[in-house]
């Protein structure tokens, strides 16, 4: 239902933007439960700056809940709770106004918004939001930063506004590291539901500068057309890279039911193929820490070279859509939904909330099935963990100096982070019963007819609610558990990027040109515009253009 649930490429690193996808929707479980510390939570990735995360309250075993025993796997729900428990016992605000800066992807809400009026009453303050559409976010937030006039709660997505990094390091926002460490989170029980990895990964050189909006640690699933494969004689999922190539090529040229609708292809975009090959050939997640503590970039590895050689063969096999080098991700998803793509990796929520229902509506006989790509040699693959969060809600330092005000703002953010199925979560995500939604015969909140929910609730409510930290997909009670199983299969085979929460000044300055170099060389080699032998030239040029400096700067703070 969330309009931001399709994908959020602006947050993703350059490699994840190649087509693995991401999404936003769902929420956390209900209140209660004991406190635990997640395994390995005492340090940031790679053993860098020590960081003590907030204590964690695990999900509750409420009716309809499926709770995984694998750390980092979100809970799933087969139904909406019949009793909406209150997660916030007292009004969090003290009166007065609270200004916010929020991302907004649609037309501005009405000036007299019944949902916002009700939210103000519940919070005990008057919210004064400032909105920025996705494309203008970076410019607007950096203008605010330069003026020194930042709202009380400011949404920060530093990956699309790199100019924010230096002010963040220089103290523009309140450092919450010590305040919320361990039992310091106790006054904010909804914040204690945020997974430890989201807190850890959102730190900046070990500093916690805001409250993260959590995403799954592994936030992708790969679907393939099992019905096509069966018709082509592939009754079992492919067991190695060669079988994957054969199957994808046959999806393009073979005789299967998909051909009734026109041409079909194994893969839609080069990015999808790159992500697939990197998993099968166990390419590092951007960087790898060697035994001596040094860093090796992915493009410097034998695994990357082997994956690239494989991608050249895959391209020559005819597995890709003819426009694969330039096809936008949303166009690729539309082609898949129309029943013409055999395998598609994408965000978990976009698949289950949007793309699978559309595919099954368009092609009812289709059998989209989740698959974990095999290792190239038949062993296990390496799945790349993602950031595990989508931006942070930060409090400016001059605001946070007032301890009472800081605590009030954290209580308001705590309300915004209400867990899945709670009374507060239902209001934030669905609005006012009777005006914005009604419960269907299964007890699921369903938007009322028209665009009232979209105009009054969808945009203004989006800030830091952990909507994708649990899997719940109205309309199909089993898909939440299916999504959870797909992630549970991937997490034990996943690796983190050891530099994900470190800052390199050179990377900030040079990332744009280095990303262009990456695409130019890799896409050129795959499609035959460049030779595979040019990988050596690429590596040397990358090192000279800033790669070695980035490596050294990361190693200095590790």
């Amino acid at each position: 239902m969330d309009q931001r649930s399709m994908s959020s490429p602006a947050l993703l690193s350059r490699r994840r933007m190649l087509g693995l996808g991401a999404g936003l929707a769902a929420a956390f479980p209900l209140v209660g439960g004991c406190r635990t510390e997640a395994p390995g939570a005492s340090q940031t990735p790679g053993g860098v700056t020590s960081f003590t995360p907030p204590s964690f309250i695990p999900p509750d075993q409420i009716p309809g809940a499926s709770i995984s025993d694998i750390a980092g796997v979100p809970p799933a729900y087969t139904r909406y709770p019949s009793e909406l428990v209150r997660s916030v016992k007292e009004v969090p605000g003290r009166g007065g106004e609270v200004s916010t800066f929020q991302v907004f992807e649609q037309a501005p809400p009405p000036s007299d918004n019944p949902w916002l009026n009700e939210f103000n009453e519940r919070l005990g303050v008057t919210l004064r939001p400032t909105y920025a559409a996705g494309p203008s976010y970076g410019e607007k937030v950096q203008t605010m930063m330069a003026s020194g006039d930042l709202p009380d709660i400011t949404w920060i997505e530093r990956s699309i506004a790199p100019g924010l990094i230096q002010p963040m390091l220089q103290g523009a926002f309140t450092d919450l590291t010590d305040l919320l460490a361990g039992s310091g989170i106790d006054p904010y029980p909804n914040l204690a539901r945020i997974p430890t990895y989201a807190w850890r990964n959102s730190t900046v050189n070990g500093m916690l500068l805001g409250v993260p909006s959590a995403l799954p640690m592994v936030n992708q699933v790969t679907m393939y057309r099992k019905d096509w494969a069966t018709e082509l004689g592939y009754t079992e999922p492919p067991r190695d890279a060669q079988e994957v190539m054969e199957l994808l090529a046959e999806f393009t040229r073979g005789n299967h039911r998909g051909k009734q609708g026109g041409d079909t292809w194994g893969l839609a975009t080069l990015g999808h193929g790159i992500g697939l090959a990197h998993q099968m050939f166990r390419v590092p997640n951007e960087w790898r820490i060697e035994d001596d503590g040094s860093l090796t970039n992915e493009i410097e590895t034998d695994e990357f070279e082997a994956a690239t050689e494989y991608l050249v063969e895959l391209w020559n096999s005819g597995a890709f859509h003819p426009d694969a080098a330039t096809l936008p991700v949303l166009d690729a998803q539309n082609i898949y939904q129309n029943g013409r793509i055999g395998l598609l990796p994408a965000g978990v929520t976009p698949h289950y909330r949007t793309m699978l229902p559309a595919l099954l509506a368009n092609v009812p006989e289709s059998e989209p099935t989740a698959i974990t790509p095999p290792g190239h040699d038949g062993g296990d693959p390496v799945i790349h963990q993602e950031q595990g969060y989508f931006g942070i809600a930060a409090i400016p330092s001059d605001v946070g100096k007032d301890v009472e005000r800081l605590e009030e703002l954290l209580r308001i953010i705590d309300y915004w982070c209400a867990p899945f199925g709670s009374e507060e979560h239902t209001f934030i995500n669905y609005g006012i019963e009777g005006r914005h939604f009604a419960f269907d015969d299964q007890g699921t909140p369903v938007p009322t007819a028209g665009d009232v929910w979209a105009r009054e609730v969808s945009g203004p409510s989006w800030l830091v609610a952990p909507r994708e930290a649990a899997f719940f997909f109205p309309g199909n009670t089993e898909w939440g558990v299916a999504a959870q199983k797909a992630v549970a299969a991937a997490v034990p085979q996943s690796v983190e990027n050891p530099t994900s929460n470190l800052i390199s000044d050179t990377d900030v300055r040079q990332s744009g040109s280095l990303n262009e170099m990456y695409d130019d060389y890799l896409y050129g080699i795959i499609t035959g515009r460049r030779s595979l032998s040019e990988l050596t030239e690429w590596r040397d040029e990358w090192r000279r253009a800033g790669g070695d400096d980035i490596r050294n700067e990361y190693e200095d703070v590790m």
Side-chain angles (χ1 to χ4, degrees):
M1 290 171 59
D2 193 313
Q3 293 191 348
R4 297 177 62 89
S5 67
M6 284 301 297
S7 64
S8 300
L11 173 68
L12 305 180
S13 72
R14 183 258 316 133
R15 294 193 58 259
R16 285 187 287 273
M17 286 178 68
L18 291 172
L20 300 181
L24 297 170
F28 260 76
L30 292 177
V31 295
C34 59
R35 295 190 177 280
T36 65
E37 290 288 350
S42 62
Q43 293 185 324
T44 50
V48 299
T49 309
S50 180
F51 169 68
T52 302
S55 298
F56 173 64
I57 299 178
D60 294 323
Q61 285 284 0
I62 63 175
S66 172
I67 310 300
S68 176
D69 59 2
I70 300 175
V73 177
Y77 299 89
T78 59
R79 66 184 189 185
Y80 210 76
S82 56
E83 295 185 12
L84 303 181
V85 176
R86 288 185 60 188
S87 68
V88 177
K89 305 306 181 185
E90 298 179 357
V91 175
R94 302 178 299 162
E97 295 186 353
V98 170
S99 56
T100 64
F101 178 59
Q102 301 170 233
V103 178
F104 203 69
E105 301 287 2
Q106 59 202 64
S111 56
D112 185 18
N113 184 347
W115 178 86
L116 185 58
N117 294 339
E118 171 68 15
F119 198 24
N120 288 338
E121 186 171 333
R122 287 167 174 249
L123 294 177
V125 297
T126 299
L127 291 178
R128 298 297 183 201
T130 298
Y131 301 112
S136 66
Y137 167 80
E139 179 180 354
K140 194 161 188 174
V141 72
Q142 290 181 104
T143 298
M144 284 184 171
M145 183 73 75
S147 72
D149 185 18
L150 291 167
D152 299 320
I153 301 173
T154 300
W155 184 246
I156 297 298
E157 296 178 32
R158 61 184 174 92
S159 61
I160 57 174
L164 297 178
I165 292 175
Q166 279 304 117
M168 292 175 75
L169 292 173
Q170 294 167 357
F173 296 102
T174 304
D175 188 347
L176 304 174
T177 312
D178 295 333
L179 177 66
L180 299 182
S183 61
I185 200 73
D186 286 357
Y188 317 104
N190 289 339
L191 301 189
R193 298 288 181 169
I194 297 174
T196 298
Y197 65 78
W199 292 109
R200 181 197 65 200
N201 291 354
S202 67
T203 61
V204 178
N205 284 358
M207 294 185 296
L208 183 63
L209 301 179
V211 176
S213 179
L215 296 173
M217 184 169 62
V218 173
N219 194 26
Q220 64 157 322
V221 63
T222 299
M223 291 284 179
Y224 85 118
R225 288 294 298 272
K226 183 179 180 181
D227 51 322
W228 292 3
T230 301
E231 288 184 355
L232 292 166
Y234 299 89
T235 57
E236 298 294 331
R239 294 167 295 184
D240 57 33
Q242 186 59 40
E243 290 189 3
V244 168
M245 185 185 300
E246 292 174 3
L247 179 61
L248 293 174
E250 284 298 296
F251 281 164
T252 298
R253 66 190 180 211
N255 184 20
H256 54 78
R257 67 176 62 176
K259 296 296 186 183
Q260 298 172 3
D263 290 338
T264 62
W265 302 276
L267 290 162
T269 73
L270 284 188
H272 293 156
I274 292 167
L276 180 68
H278 284 188
Q279 293 177 67
M280 292 193 295
F281 284 84
R282 308 184 187 106
V283 175
N285 190 352
E286 300 197 35
W287 293 90
R288 179 172 65 204
I289 300 178
E290 306 296 350
D291 292 341
D292 62 0
S294 64
L295 286 171
T296 301
N297 189 262
E298 58 170 339
I299 70 169
E300 300 174 294
T301 65
D302 293 340
E303 294 90 343
F304 186 91
E305 184 168 356
T308 303
E309 184 174 1
Y310 175 82
L311 285 162
V312 173
E313 295 182 45
L314 190 62
W315 175 266
N316 292 333
S317 76
F320 287 96
H321 187 281
D323 298 327
T326 57
L327 193 67
V329 170
L330 291 181
D331 288 353
Q333 292 177 358
N334 287 334
I335 297 172
Y336 169 79
Q337 290 169 183
N338 287 325
R340 301 174 67 191
I341 297 296
L343 184 145
L344 187 83
V348 177
T349 291
H351 257 313
Y352 286 97
R353 186 176 292 274
T354 305
M355 287 156 39
L356 288 189
L359 173 60
L360 292 171
N362 293 330
V363 190
E365 70 275 13
S366 62
E367 296 178 36
T369 303
I371 182 175
T372 299
H376 70 94
D377 53 4
D380 291 334
V382 163
I383 308 297
H384 291 175
Q385 293 179 18
E386 300 183 30
Q387 289 186 146
Y389 74 101
F390 184 79
I392 61 173
I395 298 169
S397 292
D398 58 345
V399 176
K401 290 177 181 177
D402 182 333
V403 175
E404 291 188 358
R405 181 63 162 174
L406 175 61
E407 292 173 348
E408 177 188 30
L409 295 174
L410 287 172
R411 290 194 300 269
I412 289 170
I413 296 173
D414 180 74
Y415 191 109
W416 227 308
C417 288
F420 172 81
S422 65
E423 195 275 337
E424 297 86 356
H425 164 89
T426 304
F427 168 76
I428 290 170
N429 288 276
Y430 299 99
I432 301 168
E433 185 177 5
R435 179 177 180 84
H436 302 114
F437 78 94
F439 290 102
D440 65 12
D441 57 3
Q442 301 297 315
T444 302
V446 176
T448 53
D451 64 351
V452 177
W453 174 83
R455 287 189 296 107
E456 296 180 354
V457 181
S458 174
S461 68
W462 197 91
L463 181 64
V464 72
R467 292 172 176 168
E468 199 173 327
F471 297 141
F472 174 70
F473 305 109
N476 190 307
T477 60
E478 300 303 319
W479 278 351
V481 174
Q484 184 187 56
K485 288 181 178 178
V487 174
V491 166
Q493 300 169 338
S494 69
V495 296
E496 64 190 4
N497 174 359
T499 69
S500 63
N501 57 2
L502 303 181
I503 301 301
S504 157
D505 290 339
T506 304
D507 185 48
V508 172
R509 294 193 309 270
Q510 298 293 105
S511 60
S513 59
L514 290 175
N515 290 345
E516 290 178 7
M517 181 189 302
Y518 186 103
D519 292 345
D520 178 57
Y521 272 99
L522 185 55
Y523 280 39
I525 291 171
I526 294 170
T527 59
R529 179 171 51 83
R530 288 182 176 273
S531 166
L532 183 63
S533 64
E534 292 185 65
L535 178 57
T536 299
E537 172 188 309
W538 174 13
R539 288 166 170 167
D540 291 340
E541 187 176 349
W542 172 83
R543 294 183 183 111
R544 289 192 302 268
D548 277 342
D549 290 336
I550 294 171
R551 183 202 326 275
N552 293 335
E553 289 166 7
Y554 282 146
E555 290 176 350
D556 285 345
V557 295
M558 290 178 60

